[in-house]
């Protein structure tokens, strides 16, 4: 009698999950989580980066940090925090949020040094911060990770190869392909070709709308040397403090031109101090204290200053107002902006430049010398090159506003890479043998640092007790000569709120923006607040609690 044939079912492989809580649909505040295993069983989770962003649409520009309430709801606690590099939008929230986890933190030496300084300021223990060198690997729970060096606008920026079960993911962090970086090596193509094919790339979208290739730091160094050599009188160069290659280029150019270098601004001094302790700026010329600059002839002075974004309390704004206690600018001096305007800061920067011009200072900036700055993010040619090396099957575009993510998706599709989803903060995305799927969506409540604590961002409507549901509105605007204009569609998210006629509201909002004449995003928010509450009061049956975030748009965003 024939025996029954035994049917063996293939073993089901656990999926990999991806949960972004910051950095999707916005620039900054990056926090991504990866989970492996079956739900309702023992899942293993890690967090990648823990950044903040500055809310330019709020008075006093508070820090906004990711909302961790979704992790509490889902009972997720990461087993480790993995840091890709030391920019504030990747480490700036760690001192506020990490105490809720208490897990090990893995970071390369520079990022670890910056984190230690932040933890010391808040009185936190630094024992959890563990240093890992670029190129090394580690294991955390169900995950194996390898730090892969990439060039960016800060040293030691690394991509992560994340492996769990049968899944292999390349999390790029921030990067570019710089053929002539001033600090650190160029990218080794063979390192990335050896990874191919990977199942998924979670990738930087910031410059995806731009064709071609980003400018090299080596090119910027040559341009800075030529510009400084042509200046008379004192020279002030303003750049982002974290761009150590730029600081080094300025120092070398100053030395060649017979100028002495001084640093101005707390963040600049801290960044350079940590970097020098790690040996990154050994050939930076000796620094002169700001208090000694008055003893030097004007043509021997060069100052590297913070404040390129028009920050009112930064060094460059104090110089423009003649309020610095040890240094004054005079007619014939020069100010070089080796940076690009961050969207939303255009009017503050113009106000700063008007103040400098009134002093008789010559200005060199992106409008007349674009070669004095380079982005730290990949344009389309660089994206295609990297993806040609690693041959990903799928892409999740992160680190960018919706338009950047969409452009990144189109680049991937043109290369034959599957990109079915544009993630938003709070999306639980599953990667399995059938591809990428959106499992659930968890709307995020804005959180800011208020009185030294993480606090829920209050809504526009005052007393919350009598509100009906919640309405989250993200509005993207651009500064124009006449005021402000809306860019793209509104991003609306409602929680048990009354239905909203989005077209009618958009038309009203466009007319409203035409009538408002203010300088900054914070002033725009204050001007919109009463008008918006009145409109919603007239058009909604029940008034929700309204949360407004105003973003600023521009073709390119650089650090």
């Amino acid at each position: 009698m024939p025996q029954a044939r035994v049917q063996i079912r293939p073993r089901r492989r656990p999926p990999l999950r991806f949960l972004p809580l910051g950095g999707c649909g916005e620039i900054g505040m990056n926090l991504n989580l990866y989970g492996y295993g079956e739900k309702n069983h023992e899942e293993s989770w890690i967090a990648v980066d823990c950044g903040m962003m500055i809310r330019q649409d709020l008075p006093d520009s508070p820090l906004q940090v990711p909302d961790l309430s979704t992790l509490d709801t889902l009972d997720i606690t990461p087993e480790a925090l993995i840091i890709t590099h030391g920019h504030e939008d990747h480490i700036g929230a760690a001192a506020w949020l990490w105490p809720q986890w208490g897990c090990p933190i893995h970071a390369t030496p520079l990022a670890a040094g910056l984190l230690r300084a932040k933890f010391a300021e808040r009185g936190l223990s630094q024992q959890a911060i563990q240093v890992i060198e670029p190129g090394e690997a580690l294991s955390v729970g169900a995950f194996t990770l390898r730090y892969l060096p990439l060039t960016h606008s800060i040293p030691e920026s690394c991509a992560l190869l994340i492996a769990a079960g049968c899944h292999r993911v390349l999390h790029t962090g921030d990067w570019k392909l710089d053929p002539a970086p001033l600090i650190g090596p160029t990218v080794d193509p063979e390192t990335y070709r050896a990874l191919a094919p990977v199942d998924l790339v979670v990738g930087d979208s910031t410059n995806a709308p731009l064709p071609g290739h980003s400018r090299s730091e080596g090119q910027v160094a040559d341009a800075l040397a030529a510009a400084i050599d042509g200046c008379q009188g004192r020279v002030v160069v303003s750049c982002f403090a974290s761009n150590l290659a730029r600081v080094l280029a300025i120092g070398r150019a100053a030395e060649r031109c017979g100028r002495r270098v001084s640093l101005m601004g707390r963040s600049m001094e801290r960044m350079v101090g940590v970097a020098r302790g790690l040996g990154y700026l050994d050939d930076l010329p000796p620094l002169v204290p700001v208090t000694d600059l008055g003893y030097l002839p004007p043509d021997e002075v060069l100052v590297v200053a913070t404040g390129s974004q028009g920050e009112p309390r930064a060094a460059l704004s104090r110089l423009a107002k003649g309020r610095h206690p040890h240094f004054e600018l005079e007619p014939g001096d020069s100010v070089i902006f080796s940076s690009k305007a961050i969207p939303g800061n255009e009017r503050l920067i113009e106000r700063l430049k008007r103040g400098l011009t009134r002093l008789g200072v010559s200005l060199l900036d992106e409008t007349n010398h674009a070669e004095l700055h380079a982005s730290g993010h990949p344009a389309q040619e660089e994206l295609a090159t990297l993806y040609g090396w690693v041959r990903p099957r799928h892409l999740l575009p992160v680190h960018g506003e919706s338009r950047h993510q969409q452009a990144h998706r189109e680049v991937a599709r043109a290369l034959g890479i599957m990109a079915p989803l544009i993630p938003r903060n709070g999306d639980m995305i599953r990667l399995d043998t059938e591809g990428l799927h959106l499992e659930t969506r968890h709307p995020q409540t804005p959180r800011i640092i208020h009185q030294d604590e993480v606090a829920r961002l209050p809504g526009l409507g005052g007393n919350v007790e009598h509100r009906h549901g919640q309405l989250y509105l993200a509005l993207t605007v651009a500064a124009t000569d006449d005021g402000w204009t809306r860019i793209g569609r509104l991003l609306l998210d409602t929680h048990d709120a009354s239905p909203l006629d989005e077209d009618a509201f958009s038309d009203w909002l466009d007319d409203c923006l035409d009538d408002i004449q203010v300088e900054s995003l914070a002033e725009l928010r204050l001007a919109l607040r009463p008008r918006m509450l009145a409109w919603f009061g007239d058009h909604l049956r029940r008034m929700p609690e309204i949360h407004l975030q105003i973003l600023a748009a521009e073709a390119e965003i650089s650090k």
Side-chain angles (χ1 to χ4, degrees):
M1 191 172 172
Q3 294 183 350
R5 182 174 298 172
V6 177
Q7 187 174 20
I8 300 176
R9 294 182 180 178
R11 183 182 176 186
R12 187 162 179 250
R13 295 176 176 175
L16 181 77
R17 289 184 172 84
F18 175 71
L19 174 62
L21 296 182
C24 287
E26 63 197 1
I27 300 292
M29 205 174 70
N30 297 278
L31 172 57
N32 302 285
L33 289 108
Y34 290 89
Y36 178 72
E38 294 288 356
K39 283 188 175 181
N40 304 321
H41 291 79
E42 195 68 28
E43 274 191 298
S44 183
W45 287 88
I46 58 172
V48 175
D49 291 328
C50 192
M52 62 81 176
M53 70 176 177
I54 298 174
R55 283 296 295 267
Q56 299 164 1
D57 63 322
L58 295 174
D60 299 323
S61 301
L63 305 182
Q64 181 174 346
V65 298
D67 177 16
L68 299 188
S69 61
T70 298
L71 301 187
D72 296 334
T73 300
L74 299 176
D75 195 25
I76 293 173
T77 301
E79 298 176 48
L81 171 57
I82 313 296
I83 301 297
T84 60
H85 66 284
H87 272 144
E88 288 294 301
D89 61 335
H90 292 258
I91 67 170
W96 306 99
L97 302 186
W98 169 84
Q100 300 183 43
W101 302 332
C103 61
I105 302 173
H106 300 278
T108 51
L110 179 59
L114 297 171
L115 278 170
R116 289 193 182 104
K118 291 177 178 295
F119 276 36
E121 282 186 352
R122 299 209 68 229
L124 299 173
S125 171
Q126 304 167 33
Q127 292 183 349
I129 302 172
Q130 302 179 15
V131 173
I132 183 169
E133 296 289 340
E136 291 184 349
L138 71 153
S139 295
V140 178
F143 294 90
T144 300
L145 304 104
R146 185 181 170 199
Y147 275 71
L148 302 168
L150 277 174
T151 46
H152 183 43
S153 53
I154 188 172
E156 300 175 0
S157 189
C158 288
L160 299 171
L161 178 65
I162 303 173
C166 63
H167 307 289
R168 297 170 74 248
V169 177
L170 181 66
H171 183 103
T172 69
D174 292 3
W175 65 282
K176 64 188 286 187
L177 296 180
D178 193 333
L182 267 67
I183 299 178
T186 59
V187 177
D188 178 14
E190 294 308 314
T191 296
Y192 289 88
R193 289 193 180 106
L195 309 179
V198 296
D199 299 302
L200 171 66
V201 163
V202 177
D204 180 359
S205 306
T206 313
N207 278 347
L210 301 180
H213 198 290
S214 58
R215 188 177 289 113
S216 169
E217 282 296 329
Q219 293 175 295
V220 176
D222 293 339
L224 281 168
I228 293 170
D229 188 47
C231 291
Q232 306 296 319
R234 301 171 184 85
V235 176
V236 176
V237 185
S238 190
C239 64
F240 296 109
S242 62
N243 195 335
L244 295 174
R246 196 72 51 83
V247 174
L248 179 60
I250 296 166
R252 288 173 174 172
E255 189 172 42
R256 286 198 295 270
C257 297
R259 294 180 180 269
R260 305 289 296 277
V261 180
S262 183
L263 303 181
M264 191 177 291
R266 183 184 176 198
S267 61
M268 183 72 68
E269 293 169 358
R270 170 188 287 180
M271 182 67 68
V272 170
V274 173
R276 293 183 93 174
L278 294 170
Y280 277 117
L281 298 175
D282 287 344
D283 54 348
L284 185 70
L287 299 176
V288 177
V290 174
T291 53
D292 293 351
L293 293 179
Y295 300 105
L296 295 175
D299 60 357
E300 293 182 16
V301 172
L302 186 141
V303 173
V304 189
T306 59
S308 65
Q309 300 305 304
E311 304 96 318
R313 292 185 293 273
L316 196 54
S317 288
R318 285 183 287 154
L319 290 176
K321 296 173 183 176
R323 295 179 181 172
H324 195 280
H326 306 295
F327 189 77
E328 289 184 359
L329 289 171
E330 300 175 349
D333 294 341
S334 299
V335 174
I336 298 173
F337 287 80
S338 185
S339 61
K340 190 171 180 66
I342 293 176
N345 290 344
E346 296 91 346
R347 291 174 178 271
L348 291 174
I349 295 171
E350 285 306 313
R351 182 187 299 171
L352 168 65
K353 290 178 179 178
R354 287 196 297 269
L356 293 168
T357 301
R358 283 194 292 268
L359 296 176
V361 171
S362 299
L363 300 181
L364 292 79
D365 60 20
E366 60 181 303
T367 61
N368 53 25
H369 289 278
E371 71 278 6
L372 294 176
H373 178 62
S375 172
H377 301 270
Q380 292 174 4
E381 185 179 317
E382 292 157 280
L383 292 171
T385 298
L386 180 65
Y387 297 164
W389 294 342
V390 301
R391 293 188 287 119
R393 298 185 178 94
H394 303 88
L395 169 79
L396 282 174
V398 299
H399 201 294
E401 297 171 3
S402 178
R403 62 195 178 91
H404 304 101
Q405 293 174 284
Q406 182 60 46
H408 196 176
R409 185 187 197 186
E410 292 169 1
V411 169
R413 286 178 166 176
L415 296 171
I417 302 166
M418 290 179 281
L421 301 173
I422 292 183
R424 294 165 57 186
N425 294 334
D427 285 356
M428 181 70 81
I429 297 172
R430 185 180 77 251
L431 173 66
D432 57 25
T433 54
E434 297 178 359
L436 292 168
H437 316 273
L438 176 61
E439 283 191 338
T440 54
R441 177 161 284 159
H442 305 274
Q444 302 297 292
T445 302
R447 306 276 175 172
I448 59 172
I449 303 301
H450 178 66
Q451 295 182 349
D452 205 38
E453 297 290 341
V454 178
R456 189 171 181 268
L457 179 69
L460 296 182
N463 191 345
V464 178
E465 294 180 5
H466 304 294
R467 300 299 174 193
H468 300 276
Q470 299 185 66
L471 186 151
Y472 294 91
L473 168 63
L475 165 66
T476 304
V477 299
T480 67
D481 293 337
D482 300 323
W484 302 87
T485 185
R486 181 167 62 91
I487 303 295
R489 65 185 298 270
L490 299 171
L491 295 178
L492 284 167
D493 199 348
T494 59
H495 289 39
D496 302 322
S498 301
L500 174 66
D501 185 340
E502 184 176 335
D503 291 335
F505 177 65
S506 298
D507 292 341
W508 169 84
L509 185 59
D510 290 339
D511 293 337
C512 194
L513 289 171
D514 286 340
D515 295 335
I516 296 176
Q517 299 291 321
V518 294
E519 292 289 323
S520 68
L521 290 185
E523 293 170 328
L524 178 61
R525 178 187 176 87
L526 290 175
L528 276 175
R529 182 182 184 275
R531 295 171 170 87
M532 194 172 288
L533 290 175
W535 192 93
F536 284 127
D538 291 339
H539 292 81
L540 295 181
R541 186 178 56 174
R542 299 188 306 172
M543 192 66 167
E545 183 185 5
I546 302 166
H547 301 271
L548 171 65
Q549 181 169 5
I550 304 178
L551 310 170
E554 195 180 17
E556 180 185 3
I557 300 172
S558 309
K559 287 194 289 260

